[in-house]
Amino acid sequence: MKRVLFVLMLVTLPGLEKARAQASVGYYPWSSLLTVSTNAKKAIWLDTRLQTNSLFSSLSIDLLPMINLKRGEVAQWYLGGGLRLNPLYRIADADADLITIDGYSVNFGVRIAPLPMNRRIQLALELNPYVKDKFDSGVLKSHFGLIYAFGKKKKTDAAPEQTVSP
């Protein structure tokens, strides 16, 4: 388990410096999920989700690497899968692993930027089949949320100097 976390850290840490200015944050109100993503415009990106409105022992974190299938100005289709971890489960069970794996998921979704004057505000729609860690049960989840994508300010071309004729 410790090896898996170490590998995940090695994979994600080098990209964080570049992704910081282009990250996105969002909230899925009906699913009670807070999300932070790296640059979702890249071919491969990472989405992390924190479950809110829950007991401390039930707070889980989803680590979801995503692959963009199709990107346009208005819609972005993606597919990914991931792992749900519960770092606070030891509160409920002292014999539990330090980091408990709750289950696995597959994500298929779309981010839609409906406002032409501000493409950073996006709607997210997603289907999310999820299975427990021992594959003994599962559920088909759906998510609907609001995303704000940060970005670098576009450099504007400086106006060329005009010569004054006498």
Coordinates of all heavy atoms in Angstrom, one line a residue, residues 4-53:
V4 N 2.2 2.0 -3.4 CA 1.2 2.6 -4.3 C 1.2 4.1 -4.1 O 1.2 4.9 -5.0 CB -0.2 2.0 -4.1 CG1 -1.2 2.7 -4.9 CG2 -0.1 0.5 -4.5
L5 N 1.1 4.5 -2.8 CA 1.1 6.0 -2.5 C 2.3 6.7 -3.0 O 2.3 7.8 -3.5 CB 0.8 6.2 -1.0 CG -0.6 5.8 -0.6 CD1 -0.7 6.0 0.9 CD2 -1.6 6.7 -1.2
F6 N 3.5 6.0 -2.8 CA 4.8 6.6 -3.1 C 4.8 6.8 -4.7 O 5.2 7.8 -5.1 CB 5.9 5.7 -2.7 CG 7.3 6.2 -3.0 CD1 7.8 7.4 -2.4 CD2 8.0 5.6 -4.0 CE1 9.0 7.9 -2.7 CE2 9.3 6.1 -4.3 CZ 9.8 7.3 -3.6
V7 N 4.4 5.8 -5.4 CA 4.3 5.9 -6.9 C 3.4 7.0 -7.3 O 3.7 7.8 -8.2 CB 4.0 4.5 -7.5 CG1 3.7 4.7 -9.0 CG2 5.1 3.5 -7.3
L8 N 2.2 7.1 -6.7 CA 1.3 8.2 -7.1 C 1.9 9.6 -6.8 O 1.7 10.5 -7.6 CB 0.0 8.0 -6.3 CG -1.0 7.0 -6.7 CD1 -2.1 6.8 -5.7 CD2 -1.5 7.3 -8.1
M9 N 2.6 9.7 -5.7 CA 3.3 11.0 -5.4 C 4.3 11.3 -6.4 O 4.5 12.4 -6.9 CB 3.8 11.0 -4.0 CG 2.8 11.1 -2.9 SD 3.4 11.0 -1.2 CE 4.9 11.8 -1.2
L10 N 5.1 10.3 -6.8 CA 6.2 10.5 -7.8 C 5.6 10.9 -9.2 O 6.2 11.7 -9.9 CB 7.0 9.3 -8.0 CG 8.0 9.0 -6.9 CD1 8.8 7.7 -7.1 CD2 9.0 10.1 -6.7
V11 N 4.5 10.4 -9.5 CA 3.8 10.7 -10.8 C 3.2 12.1 -10.8 O 3.3 12.8 -11.8 CB 2.8 9.6 -11.1 CG1 2.0 10.0 -12.3 CG2 3.4 8.3 -11.4
T12 N 2.6 12.5 -9.7 CA 1.8 13.7 -9.7 C 2.7 15.0 -9.3 O 2.4 16.0 -9.8 CB 0.6 13.7 -8.7 OG1 1.1 13.3 -7.4 CG2 -0.4 12.6 -9.2
L13 N 3.7 14.8 -8.5 CA 4.4 16.0 -8.0 C 5.1 16.8 -9.1 O 5.1 18.0 -9.1 CB 5.4 15.6 -6.9 CG 4.8 15.3 -5.5 CD1 5.9 14.9 -4.5 CD2 4.0 16.5 -5.0
P14 N 5.8 16.1 -10.1 CA 6.5 16.9 -11.1 C 5.6 17.8 -11.9 O 6.0 18.9 -12.3 CB 7.2 15.9 -12.0 CG 7.3 14.7 -11.1 CD 6.1 14.7 -10.2
G15 N 4.3 17.4 -12.1 CA 3.4 18.2 -12.9 C 2.7 19.3 -12.2 O 2.0 20.1 -12.8
L16 N 2.8 19.3 -10.9 CA 2.0 20.3 -10.1 C 2.5 21.7 -10.3 O 1.7 22.6 -10.3 CB 2.1 20.0 -8.6 CG 1.4 18.7 -8.2 CD1 1.5 18.5 -6.7 CD2 -0.1 18.8 -8.5
E17 N 3.8 22.0 -10.5 CA 4.3 23.3 -10.7 C 3.7 23.9 -12.0 O 3.2 25.1 -12.0 CB 5.8 23.3 -10.8 CG 6.4 24.7 -11.0 CD 6.1 25.6 -9.8 OE1 6.0 25.1 -8.7 OE2 6.0 26.8 -10.0
K18 N 3.6 23.1 -13.1 CA 3.1 23.6 -14.3 C 1.5 23.7 -14.2 O 1.0 24.6 -14.9 CB 3.4 22.7 -15.5 CG 4.9 22.7 -15.8 CD 5.2 21.7 -16.9 CE 6.7 21.6 -17.2 NZ 7.0 20.6 -18.2
A19 N 0.9 22.9 -13.5 CA -0.5 22.8 -13.5 C -1.1 23.8 -12.5 O -2.3 24.1 -12.6 CB -1.0 21.4 -13.1
R20 N -0.4 24.4 -11.6 CA -0.9 25.2 -10.6 C -1.7 26.4 -11.2 O -2.8 26.7 -10.7 CB 0.2 25.7 -9.7 CG -0.3 26.5 -8.5 CD 0.8 26.9 -7.6 NE 2.1 27.0 -8.2 CZ 3.2 27.3 -7.6 NH1 3.2 27.5 -6.3 NH2 4.3 27.4 -8.2
A21 N -1.2 27.0 -12.2 CA -1.9 28.2 -12.7 C -3.1 27.8 -13.6 O -3.9 28.7 -14.0 CB -0.9 29.0 -13.6
Q22 N -3.2 26.6 -14.0 CA -4.3 26.2 -14.8 C -5.2 25.1 -14.2 O -5.9 24.4 -14.9 CB -3.7 25.6 -16.1 CG -2.9 26.7 -16.8 CD -1.9 26.1 -17.8 OE1 -1.7 24.9 -17.9 NE2 -1.2 27.0 -18.6
A23 N -5.2 25.1 -12.9 CA -6.0 24.1 -12.2 C -7.5 24.5 -12.3 O -7.8 25.6 -12.7 CB -5.6 24.0 -10.8
S24 N -8.4 23.6 -11.8 CA -9.8 24.0 -11.7 C -10.3 23.5 -10.4 O -9.8 22.5 -9.8 CB -10.6 23.4 -12.9 OG -10.5 22.0 -12.9
V25 N -11.4 24.1 -9.9 CA -12.0 23.7 -8.7 C -13.5 23.6 -9.0 O -14.0 24.3 -9.9 CB -11.8 24.7 -7.5 CG1 -10.4 24.7 -7.1 CG2 -12.3 26.0 -7.9
G26 N -14.2 22.7 -8.3 CA -15.6 22.6 -8.6 C -16.3 21.9 -7.4 O -15.7 21.5 -6.5
Y27 N -17.6 21.9 -7.5 CA -18.5 21.3 -6.5 C -19.6 20.6 -7.2 O -20.3 21.1 -8.1 CB -19.0 22.4 -5.5 CG -19.7 21.8 -4.3 CD1 -19.0 21.0 -3.4 CD2 -21.0 22.0 -4.1 CE1 -19.6 20.5 -2.3 CE2 -21.7 21.4 -3.0 CZ -21.0 20.6 -2.1 OH -21.6 20.1 -1.1
Y28 N -19.9 19.4 -6.8 CA -21.0 18.6 -7.2 C -22.0 18.5 -6.0 O -21.8 17.8 -5.1 CB -20.6 17.1 -7.5 CG -19.6 17.0 -8.7 CD1 -18.2 17.0 -8.4 CD2 -20.0 16.9 -10.0 CE1 -17.3 16.9 -9.5 CE2 -19.1 16.8 -11.0 CZ -17.8 16.8 -10.8 OH -16.9 16.7 -11.8
P29 N -23.0 19.4 -6.0 CA -23.8 19.6 -4.8 C -24.7 18.4 -4.5 O -24.8 18.1 -3.3 CB -24.7 20.8 -5.2 CG -24.7 20.9 -6.7 CD -23.4 20.3 -7.1
W30 N -25.2 17.6 -5.4 CA -26.0 16.5 -5.0 C -25.2 15.3 -4.6 O -25.7 14.4 -3.9 CB -27.0 16.1 -6.2 CG -28.0 17.2 -6.4 CD1 -29.2 17.3 -5.7 CD2 -28.0 18.3 -7.3 NE1 -29.8 18.5 -6.1 CE2 -29.1 19.1 -7.1 CE3 -27.0 18.7 -8.3 CZ2 -29.4 20.2 -7.8 CZ3 -27.3 19.9 -9.0 CH2 -28.5 20.6 -8.8
S31 N -23.9 15.3 -5.0 CA -23.0 14.2 -4.6 C -22.2 14.6 -3.4 O -21.5 13.8 -2.9 CB -22.1 13.8 -5.8 OG -22.9 13.5 -6.9
S32 N -22.2 15.9 -3.0 CA -21.4 16.4 -1.9 C -19.9 16.2 -2.2 O -19.2 15.7 -1.3 CB -21.9 15.8 -0.6 OG -23.2 16.2 -0.3
L33 N -19.5 16.5 -3.3 CA -18.1 16.3 -3.7 C -17.4 17.7 -4.0 O -18.0 18.4 -4.8 CB -17.9 15.4 -4.9 CG -18.3 14.0 -4.7 CD1 -18.2 13.2 -6.1 CD2 -17.4 13.3 -3.7
L34 N -16.3 17.9 -3.4 CA -15.4 19.1 -3.8 C -14.3 18.5 -4.6 O -13.7 17.5 -4.3 CB -14.9 19.7 -2.5 CG -14.0 20.9 -2.7 CD1 -14.7 22.1 -3.3 CD2 -13.4 21.3 -1.3
T35 N -14.0 19.2 -5.8 CA -13.0 18.6 -6.7 C -12.0 19.7 -7.0 O -12.2 20.9 -7.1 CB -13.7 18.1 -8.0 OG1 -12.7 17.6 -8.9 CG2 -14.4 19.2 -8.7
V36 N -10.7 19.2 -7.1 CA -9.6 20.0 -7.6 C -8.9 19.2 -8.7 O -8.6 18.1 -8.5 CB -8.6 20.3 -6.5 CG1 -7.4 21.1 -7.0 CG2 -9.3 21.1 -5.3
S37 N -8.7 19.9 -9.8 CA -8.1 19.2 -11.0 C -6.9 19.9 -11.5 O -6.8 21.1 -11.3 CB -9.1 19.1 -12.2 OG -10.3 18.5 -11.8
T38 N -6.0 19.2 -12.1 CA -4.9 19.8 -12.8 C -5.4 20.4 -14.1 O -6.7 20.4 -14.3 CB -3.8 18.8 -13.1 OG1 -4.3 17.7 -13.9 CG2 -3.2 18.3 -11.8
N39 N -4.6 20.8 -15.0 CA -5.0 21.4 -16.3 C -5.8 20.4 -17.1 O -5.3 19.5 -17.7 CB -3.8 21.9 -17.1 CG -4.2 22.7 -18.3 OD1 -5.4 22.8 -18.6 ND2 -3.2 23.2 -19.0
A40 N -7.1 20.5 -17.2 CA -8.0 19.6 -17.9 C -7.9 19.8 -19.4 O -8.5 19.0 -20.1 CB -9.4 19.8 -17.4
K41 N -7.2 20.8 -19.9 CA -7.1 20.9 -21.3 C -6.0 20.0 -21.9 O -5.9 19.9 -23.1 CB -6.8 22.4 -21.7 CG -8.0 23.3 -21.4 CD -9.2 23.0 -22.3 CE -10.3 23.9 -22.0 NZ -11.5 23.5 -22.7
K42 N -5.1 19.5 -21.0 CA -4.1 18.6 -21.5 C -4.7 17.2 -21.8 O -5.8 16.9 -21.4 CB -3.0 18.5 -20.4 CG -2.3 19.8 -20.1 CD -0.9 19.5 -19.7 CE -0.2 20.9 -19.5 NZ 0.9 21.0 -20.2
A43 N -3.9 16.4 -22.5 CA -4.4 15.1 -22.9 C -4.7 14.2 -21.7 O -5.7 13.5 -21.7 CB -3.4 14.4 -23.9
I44 N -3.8 14.3 -20.7 CA -3.9 13.5 -19.5 C -3.9 14.4 -18.3 O -3.0 15.3 -18.3 CB -2.8 12.4 -19.4 CG1 -2.9 11.5 -20.6 CG2 -2.9 11.7 -18.0 CD1 -1.7 10.5 -20.6
W45 N -4.8 14.3 -17.4 CA -4.9 15.2 -16.3 C -5.4 14.4 -15.0 O -5.8 13.3 -15.1 CB -5.8 16.4 -16.5 CG -7.1 16.1 -17.1 CD1 -7.4 15.7 -18.4 CD2 -8.4 16.2 -16.5 NE1 -8.8 15.6 -18.6 CE2 -9.4 15.9 -17.4 CE3 -8.8 16.5 -15.2 CZ2 -10.7 15.8 -17.1 CZ3 -10.1 16.5 -14.9 CH2 -11.1 16.2 -15.8
L46 N -5.2 15.0 -13.9 CA -5.6 14.4 -12.6 C -6.7 15.2 -11.9 O -6.7 16.4 -11.8 CB -4.4 14.3 -11.7 CG -4.6 13.7 -10.3 CD1 -4.9 12.2 -10.5 CD2 -3.4 13.9 -9.4
D47 N -7.7 14.4 -11.5 CA -8.8 15.0 -10.7 C -8.8 14.4 -9.3 O -8.7 13.2 -9.2 CB -10.1 14.7 -11.4 CG -11.3 15.5 -10.9 OD1 -11.1 16.5 -10.2 OD2 -12.5 15.2 -11.2
T48 N -8.9 15.2 -8.3 CA -9.0 14.7 -6.9 C -10.3 15.2 -6.3 O -10.7 16.3 -6.6 CB -7.8 15.2 -6.1 OG1 -7.8 16.6 -6.1 CG2 -6.5 14.6 -6.6
R49 N -11.0 14.3 -5.6 CA -12.3 14.7 -5.1 C -12.3 14.4 -3.6 O -11.9 13.3 -3.2 CB -13.4 13.9 -5.8 CG -13.5 14.3 -7.2 CD -14.5 13.6 -8.0 NE -14.4 14.0 -9.4 CZ -15.1 13.4 -10.4 NH1 -16.0 12.5 -10.1 NH2 -14.9 13.8 -11.6
L50 N -12.9 15.3 -2.8 CA -13.1 15.1 -1.4 C -14.6 15.1 -1.1 O -15.3 16.0 -1.5 CB -12.4 16.2 -0.6 CG -12.6 16.3 0.9 CD1 -11.9 15.1 1.5 CD2 -12.1 17.6 1.5
Q51 N -15.0 14.0 -0.4 CA -16.4 13.9 -0.1 C -16.6 14.8 1.2 O -15.9 14.8 2.1 CB -16.7 12.4 0.3 CG -18.1 12.2 0.6 CD -18.4 10.7 0.7 OE1 -17.6 9.9 0.4 NE2 -19.6 10.4 1.1
T52 N -17.7 15.6 1.1 CA -18.1 16.4 2.2 C -19.4 15.9 2.8 O -20.0 15.0 2.3 CB -18.2 17.9 1.7 OG1 -19.3 18.0 0.7 CG2 -16.9 18.4 1.1
N53 N -19.9 16.6 3.8 CA -21.1 16.2 4.5 C -21.2 14.8 4.9 O -22.1 14.0 4.6 CB -22.3 16.5 3.5 CG -22.5 18.0 3.2 OD1 -22.1 18.8 4.0 ND2 -23.1 18.2 2.1

